[in-house]
Amino acid sequence: MSPRSSPVTQARIAALANCSQNTVALALQGSTRISAKRRAQIERLAAKLGYRPSMAASGLRRGRSGLIGLYGRLDIIRTLLATELMVRLHGPSQKPILGLELEGVRPWHTGAWVDTLLALRVEAVVSFAWNDEPTVPPWASRTPVIFTGYDPDPRSVCDFVAMDRAGAVRMGVDYLVSQGHRRIQMLRYYPGKRIADAFEQAVRSHGLEPSIFPYKPGEDHEAILSRFLDQFRTADAPTAVFVLPTGFACELHAAAIRRAVRVPGDLTILAYDLTPALDSLRIPITTLDQPVVELAENAAAAVARRLQTPGAPPMHVTLGFRLNVRQ
Amino acid sequence: MSPRSSPVTQARIAALANCSQNTVALALQGSTRISAKRRAQIERLAAKLGYRPSMAASGLRRGRSGLIGLYGRLDIIRTLLATELMVRLHGPSQKPILGLELEGVRPWHTGAWVDTLLALRVEAVVSFAWNDEPTVPPWASRTPVIFTGYDPDPRSVCDFVAMDRAGAVRMGVDYLVSQGHRRIQMLRYYPGKRIADAFEQAVRSHGLEPSIFPYKPGEDHEAILSRFLDQFRTADAPTAVFVLPTGFACELHAAAIRRAVRVPGDLTILAYDLTPALDSLRIPITTLDQPVVELAENAAAAVARRLQTPGAPPMHVTLGFRLNVRQ
DNA sequence: CTGAAAGCGCTTACAG
DNA sequence: CTGAAAGCGCTTACAG
């Protein structure tokens, strides 16, 4: 392997082209103040040498890094979100930098990666660490924060691209009722307080009595599912179940098959969370899908708007879920 | 929202501490040449103002950015790999930057994100765009490349942290034979040439005749699976099937259940690819799991080694898969 | 113990 | 049309 050479700079091109570094800079900006001939020569040289402007140097000089920080966790849904965000934020004069949240640091902005993003002088931070509250960090007046996927906080001065979780639950319950279900139960293995509240309210709005299947904290999934399925020995078992999250609903589906409870014949399963694999596996679970693409689109737009008009009033957008019927 | 203020610099701290910018710099480096009292004062100020050194400025001056580029695609397995890599490469003086490959650009180093990584002056690139050949880019003498997950290329001057795909196939076939299977078929919906070759060789090594289930390019999954399962009407159906990849194996499992073919009673399924969800779904498919954590560990070590000793001879490591038995 | 200065690679004035 | 110079925020000499 040849000895490492240092990166190509404008000065190096200038030396080869017999002109000043400044002329190279202008030529590469496409300035018409430089003669077409010289420009062509310099462009050819730059291409041949594989010149790439240093973002550090240009960012330092211009006072803006051209970087946008993303911060969140790479679970299934947020990997999709992060990918969509990175595609949308990656342009000629702007690059996304992904920082990972690993173990749900609280408050979110104290994560080590957030420090890194600030050391890189990102011009805005898109946070999708939505297992946490949308705590506004002290530096938010210097580096704006766009909260994506959090529950909206109307008091906050930051931008919000939110998902209507309660509305999603309502949509799910409405769907089940419209399909004739009257005994609808909710099943999960962790509190899921907000969703549970929304579930109760939605069921009551149809004049029905909500039922939330109890679990003991720490009880393993199999045990909960076994107790849940025991209900099907009696006549008043639920005809539909709202499960949180979809991964658990898949486990329920598998357990139901083993216990000869037919899905959807005996039990209709509706679950909260997008899980792309269901389609190829032909698992008949209807899901409430997070609007991942729309979240990314709106967050990218919010970034652009915030950079363009730093003083604009905080933007609050709330996006609906998609009911993804599978049977 | 208050007007955006510019980031805190050493100069700003110096003005407040009534000393020179240089003194601030030395104090923040913990230099003992600065009096303890002054150092404490400056550290307090820096913390209070939320000072973070600009990586662009320090990188520019020191001639090294402190950044390591990662480049690949975020599919299920590589999301795990990327996460493990980012954890291991994120240190006080080194930060990983993730560039995404979206649609399998060929050769890999012509992707737009690779340009961005080079503009950021990453000190090394870890490529896991392993759907492509390990093409060595022209700038590899300037910025070293660590190929991770590719088939090793003994002629290459770059570092390789490879996975032993052929060995994995052999291990899978050996396992099936050890379980008493004699009629083992391979099933997939795309050529998978290398794996298919390894499969044939492994089966022959046991004195058995390999059988690869044919498919028509473009035929949909359901149709292939239906034809495959038709074999179970006759007596000489395979007792075990080697499926590529695991996602397809899950589809086969679901289709088998619908057709009353018992898994693993009538058919043992072995699949190529790590898929964490199988455990919670209790899908009885034995898998050949990519050594994701070991890949990340070794790649991170290769980066450290390459930065420390740029002229070291190319390193080639090959890691084995894990046979993950489920029944 | 502290400060003045040079320079990393750019961009943006300003001068000719 | 081209060049010399200043300066972004650091680090690393060098001077006192």
Side-chain angles (χ1 to χ4, degrees):
Chain A
M1 192 169 286
S2 65
R4 296 246 126 57
S5 47
S6 47
V8 183
T9 62
Q10 294 181 352
R12 186 139 139 230
I13 297 175
L16 291 171
N18 258 314
C19 66
S20 74
Q21 173 263 326
N22 186 294
T23 300
V24 173
L26 291 173
L28 292 176
Q29 284 170 27
S31 165
T32 49
R33 286 163 47 200
I34 305 297
S35 72
K37 191 175 139 214
R38 179 137 272 185
R39 232 161 52 214
Q41 176 206 18
I42 289 172
E43 275 162 8
R44 218 175 321 110
L45 259 171
K48 192 180 128 213
L49 298 175
Y51 171 75
R52 285 172 184 87
S54 156
M55 287 193 70
S58 70
L60 195 58
R61 174 59 232 246
R62 297 203 316 233
R64 37 170 310 213
S65 64
L67 302 175
I68 307 294
L70 307 185
Y71 181 70
R73 186 187 291 219
L74 286 190
D75 57 18
I76 314 157
I77 294 167
R78 284 179 275 194
T79 297
L80 296 174
L81 176 59
T83 304
E84 295 289 340
L85 274 169
M86 289 187 79
V87 171
R88 285 176 171 72
L89 293 173
H90 190 272
S93 63
Q94 178 180 281
K95 316 291 182 187
I97 301 289
L98 179 65
L100 290 192
E101 172 182 71
L102 287 169
E103 40 226 21
V105 198
R106 286 159 200 244
W108 71 274
H109 67 265
T110 55
W113 253 104
V114 175
D115 259 336
T116 299
L117 295 177
L118 293 173
L120 285 165
R121 298 287 186 266
V122 295
E123 299 175 38
V125 170
V126 179
S127 171
F128 50 96
W130 67 54
N131 42 313
D132 191 11
E133 296 298 311
T135 321
V136 179
W139 40 260
S141 65
R142 211 178 292 136
T143 308
V145 179
I146 288 92
F147 287 102
T148 305
Y150 289 78
D151 277 344
D153 181 345
R155 297 155 312 175
S156 173
V157 295
C158 295
D159 295 316
F160 273 82
V161 180
M163 321 186 269
D164 185 7
R165 304 180 206 219
V169 176
R170 219 178 307 121
M171 176 165 63
V173 170
D174 288 356
Y175 169 73
L176 290 175
V177 171
S178 79
Q179 296 298 103
H181 294 284
R182 293 295 173 266
R183 291 200 303 280
I184 306 170
Q185 209 166 54
M186 176 167 169
L187 174 69
R188 83 287 190 226
Y189 57 85
Y190 60 94
K193 182 85 175 70
R194 284 182 199 152
I195 304 285
D197 289 349
F199 173 78
E200 293 195 320
Q201 207 177 321
V203 172
R204 285 218 176 84
S205 76
H206 288 283
L208 302 171
E209 195 51 38
S211 155
I212 299 196
F213 191 77
Y215 71 97
K216 305 171 194 92
E219 186 181 12
D220 77 13
H221 291 195
E222 205 163 339
I224 305 174
L225 294 175
S226 173
R227 285 195 296 112
F228 176 82
L229 290 168
D230 283 346
Q231 298 179 100
F232 289 83
R233 293 176 183 156
T234 66
D236 59 345
T239 62
V241 62
F242 180 94
V243 188
L244 186 65
T246 300
F248 191 43
C250 292
E251 297 173 45
L252 168 61
H253 174 250
I257 289 175
R258 288 196 299 276
R259 297 270 293 252
V261 171
R262 287 166 306 160
V263 177
D266 300 324
L267 177 66
T268 293
I269 303 182
L270 179 94
Y272 180 92
D273 263 353
L274 177 162
T275 301
L278 294 186
D279 290 312
S280 68
L281 298 183
R282 300 187 61 192
I283 297 180
I285 296 178
T286 293
T287 53
L288 294 162
D289 291 356
Q290 280 86 346
V292 169
V293 173
E294 292 83 350
L295 279 174
E297 277 170 3
N298 281 274
V303 168
R305 185 170 148 287
R306 182 55 60 199
L307 294 184
Q308 183 135 75
T309 321
M315 180 174 98
H316 290 176
V317 176
T318 300
L319 302 169
F321 280 52
R322 220 183 331 269
L323 181 75
N324 197 337
V325 177
R326 294 189 190 82
Q327 44 207 359
Chain B
M1 192 170 284
S2 65
R4 297 246 127 57
S5 48
S6 46
V8 183
T9 63
Q10 295 181 351
R12 187 140 138 229
I13 297 175
L16 292 171
N18 257 314
C19 66
S20 74
Q21 174 263 326
N22 186 293
T23 300
V24 173
L26 291 173
L28 292 176
Q29 283 170 29
S31 166
T32 49
R33 286 162 46 200
I34 305 296
S35 71
K37 191 176 137 213
R38 179 136 272 188
R39 230 163 52 216
Q41 175 205 20
I42 288 172
E43 274 162 8
R44 218 175 320 110
L45 259 172
K48 192 180 126 213
L49 297 175
Y51 171 75
R52 285 173 183 87
S54 156
M55 288 192 71
S58 70
L60 195 58
R61 173 58 231 245
R62 297 203 316 234
R64 37 171 310 214
S65 64
L67 302 176
I68 307 294
L70 307 185
Y71 181 70
R73 186 189 291 219
L74 286 189
D75 56 18
I76 313 158
I77 294 167
R78 284 180 275 193
T79 298
L80 296 174
L81 176 60
T83 305
E84 294 289 341
L85 275 169
M86 288 188 80
V87 171
R88 286 176 170 72
L89 293 173
H90 189 273
S93 63
Q94 179 181 280
K95 316 291 181 186
I97 300 289
L98 179 64
L100 289 191
E101 174 183 69
L102 286 169
E103 39 227 22
V105 198
R106 288 166 195 237
W108 70 275
H109 67 265
T110 54
W113 253 104
V114 175
D115 259 336
T116 300
L117 295 177
L118 293 173
L120 286 165
R121 297 290 185 265
V122 295
E123 298 175 39
V125 170
V126 179
S127 171
F128 50 97
W130 66 53
N131 43 312
D132 191 11
E133 295 299 311
T135 320
V136 179
W139 40 261
S141 64
R142 211 176 294 137
T143 308
V145 179
I146 289 93
F147 287 102
T148 305
Y150 289 77
D151 278 342
D153 181 346
R155 297 155 311 176
S156 174
V157 294
C158 295
D159 296 315
F160 274 82
V161 181
M163 322 185 269
D164 185 7
R165 305 182 206 218
V169 175
R170 220 179 306 121
M171 176 165 63
V173 170
D174 288 357
Y175 169 73
L176 291 174
V177 171
S178 78
Q179 296 298 102
H181 293 284
R182 292 296 173 268
R183 290 200 305 280
I184 305 170
Q185 209 165 54
M186 175 167 169
L187 174 69
R188 83 286 190 224
Y189 58 86
Y190 60 95
K193 181 85 176 71
R194 285 181 198 153
I195 305 286
D197 289 350
F199 173 78
E200 293 195 321
Q201 207 178 322
V203 172
R204 286 219 176 84
S205 76
H206 288 282
L208 302 171
E209 196 50 40
S211 155
I212 298 195
F213 191 78
Y215 72 96
K216 306 170 194 94
E219 188 180 12
D220 77 13
H221 292 193
E222 204 164 339
I224 306 175
L225 294 175
S226 173
R227 284 196 298 113
F228 176 81
L229 290 168
D230 283 345
Q231 299 178 99
F232 289 83
R233 293 176 183 159
T234 67
D236 60 344
T239 64
V241 62
F242 179 95
V243 187
L244 186 66
T246 299
F248 192 42
C250 292
E251 296 173 46
L252 168 60
H253 174 251
I257 289 174
R258 287 196 300 276
R259 297 270 294 250
V261 170
R262 287 166 306 161
V263 177
D266 300 324
L267 176 66
T268 293
I269 304 181
L270 179 94
Y272 181 93
D273 263 355
L274 176 163
T275 301
L278 293 186
D279 290 312
S280 68
L281 298 183
R282 301 187 60 194
I283 297 180
I285 296 179
T286 293
T287 52
L288 295 161
D289 291 356
Q290 280 87 346
V292 169
V293 174
E294 292 83 348
L295 279 174
E297 276 170 3
N298 281 275
V303 168
R305 186 170 148 287
R306 183 54 60 198
L307 293 184
Q308 184 134 76
T309 321
M315 181 174 96
H316 288 175
V317 177
T318 301
L319 302 168
F321 280 52
R322 219 182 333 267
L323 182 74
N324 198 338
V325 177
R326 294 189 190 81
Q327 43 208 357

